[in-house]
Amino acid sequence: MAKKFLDRDFLLESKPAQKLYHEYAAPMPIFDYHCHIPPSDILSDRQFKNLTEIWLGPGRGWYPGSSATLSTTGPISNSRGSSA
């Protein structure tokens, strides 16, 4: 019987890889050091409406109704000229 695609061992091609992943890596928490979501939102398990709110919501750049303007030539800036 052929191995199922995207099974629990997807990309784990050897027994040592499977053991290391399932016994050590899988139970570990995920640390995203490049996350732009405020730690308070993560700690409170804030539920966002959609991905756009997460990516572009208040404090993270442009969003509908903000004073920030989109720029194709440089960083996002607000109406006062400072970077967002």
Side-chain angles (χ1 to χ4, degrees):
M1 185 160 118
K3 184 176 176 181
K4 286 186 177 181
F5 181 67
L6 289 179
D7 67 355
R8 72 185 299 264
D9 293 326
F10 180 67
L11 297 178
L12 302 173
E13 298 179 358
S14 67
K15 291 294 179 188
Q18 294 167 6
K19 179 181 176 70
L20 286 170
Y21 175 76
H22 294 297
E23 293 182 21
Y24 299 97
M28 298 297 292
I30 297 172
F31 294 101
D32 183 356
Y33 292 104
H34 188 237
C35 181
H36 295 271
I37 298 172
S40 59
D41 285 351
I42 296 170
L43 183 63
S44 68
D45 195 23
R46 178 177 172 194
Q47 301 298 302
F48 295 91
K49 293 177 200 166
N50 52 44
L51 283 174
T52 303
E53 183 182 21
I54 295 169
W55 292 339
L56 302 175
R60 287 180 280 290
W62 181 87
Y63 64 98
S66 74
S67 62
T69 56
L70 290 177
S71 170
T72 58
T73 59
I76 296 172
S77 62
N78 62 28
S79 59
R80 294 181 296 276
S82 61
S83 293

